[in-house]
Amino acid sequence: MDALGSQSAGGIIESADDATPVVLRAMQGADDVRLRELAGALVKHLHAFAREVKLTEREFEYGLDFLNRIGQATNDAHNEAVLFSDAIGFSTLVCMLNNGNAGSTETAAALLGPFWRANSPRTANGGSIVRSPTAGAELFTSCQVVDPDGRPIADVEVDVWQSSPVGLYENQDDTQADMNLRGKFTTDADGRFGFRSVKPAGYPVPTHGPVGDMLRVQKRHPYRPAHIHFLGFKPGFKTLITQIFVDDDKYLESDVVFGVTRALIGDYRRHDSGEPPASAVVAPWYTLNYRFVMEPGEAVLPTPPIK
Ligand code: BEZ
Ligand code: FE
């Protein structure tokens, strides 16, 4: 043990070739085996990256500044780290590795995104999540949650959140009531829940920070196709985090955060005539029927990206 109390000295770095093994040796002291594996692999891959691209000192400085700017752009109402991870496809990769038999089969899961808030208002099945005047075509959803054998799952708590038809979440828009277009539902004995809302619109992700700079230099548009987010939670089942996309959206194949899979494209059906599902509904209105599959597993809630 040395003067600082660490178990393993890495040694002196004599050449670039020494850098990786010396650092890996120095990090062996962590008691947590998984932490050793994660930190070791991260160092190996990061060193390999610098070697592969022959990283210059100016590029290194730029990268560090980019990371610092991600932190500086993050606050209680905005999470630039989540946005960055989403915009480079990393969130979708992690999602797929952890769902659908470790990415080998289709999954109903999708990335969380930066706009989930805990404590959405509990809302009765069939109730509305429109909490302040919100323009847009009315939408009536009818959903069911089942297990992989198709058996309904009762008592699933389902959080729902979406942007308004102008493409802003309530926390980004002073004209919307707190928690507008957010709600928490509980599935009934038949695994069903539903709610009334407005058809969502696509929207640009926030581009005021370093992620915006990245998109601009890569000549990428900042749009997400219209969608509604869902988070299903019930002890005994893996928490289902997903989004259901509007099927006629022009950005389905170029989602800036790579969240769309075929299983997540919903049937948002337009109705121009006939008996509306409630009184005073003006045509056209839309309906969405969707069946969610929850896999057995551990029910863990993510940390809310914003307050
Ligand atoms: C969202 O759908 O809310 C979202 C996801 C990733 C980045 C930005 C927004
Ligand atoms: Fe969203």
Side-chain angles (χ1 to χ4, degrees), residues 187-212:
T187 58
D188 66 15
D190 202 22
R192 294 189 179 278
F193 73 98
F195 56 93
R196 189 171 169 170
S197 185
V198 288
K199 188 180 180 229
Y203 56 84
V205 300
T207 53
H208 60 280
V211 171

Side-chain angles (χ1 to χ4, degrees), residues 91-209:
S91 306
T92 289
L93 171 64
V94 173
C95 172
M96 293 198 156
L97 291 173
N98 284 277
N99 292 280
N101 299 311
S104 61
T105 58
E106 193 170 64
T107 175
L111 60 120
L112 177 69
F115 293 125
W116 177 59
R117 288 177 68 185
N119 305 318
S120 286
R122 283 194 180 276
T123 310
N125 268 332
S128 177
I129 59 171
V130 179
R131 303 181 195 281
S132 57
T134 309
E138 293 209 61
L139 172 70
F140 296 83
T141 72
S142 172
C143 306
Q144 189 183 27
V145 184
V146 299
D147 70 13
D149 295 321
R151 287 181 300 234
I153 313 176
D155 298 324
V156 181
E157 283 202 341
V158 185
D159 271 23
V160 168
W161 67 106
Q162 67 170 87
S163 68
S164 76
V166 297
L168 291 171
Y169 286 81
E170 49 80 34
N171 54 290
Q172 301 176 293
D173 180 4
D174 290 341
T175 69
Q176 295 183 50
D178 187 38
M179 295 288 182
N180 190 39
L181 306 181
R182 298 179 186 267
K184 192 188 286 295
F185 298 86
T186 305
T187 58
D188 66 15
D190 202 22
R192 294 189 179 278
F193 73 98
F195 56 93
R196 189 171 169 170
S197 185
V198 288
K199 188 180 180 229
Y203 56 84
V205 300
T207 53
H208 60 280

Side-chain angles (χ1 to χ4, degrees), residues 82-83 86-87 111-116 161 169 203 205-206 224 227 229 243 256-257:
V82 171
L83 182 59
D86 295 345
L111 60 120
L112 177 69
F115 293 125
W116 177 59
W161 67 106
Y169 286 81
Y203 56 84
V205 300
R224 297 220 62 205
H227 57 273
H229 295 262
Q243 315 176 16
V256 64
V257 297

Side-chain angles (χ1 to χ4, degrees), residues 136-140 199 269-273 281-286:
E138 293 209 61
L139 172 70
F140 296 83
K199 188 180 180 229
R269 197 162 292 183
R270 177 178 165 133
H271 302 265
D272 290 288
S273 59
V281 173
V282 179
W285 70 91
Y286 287 79

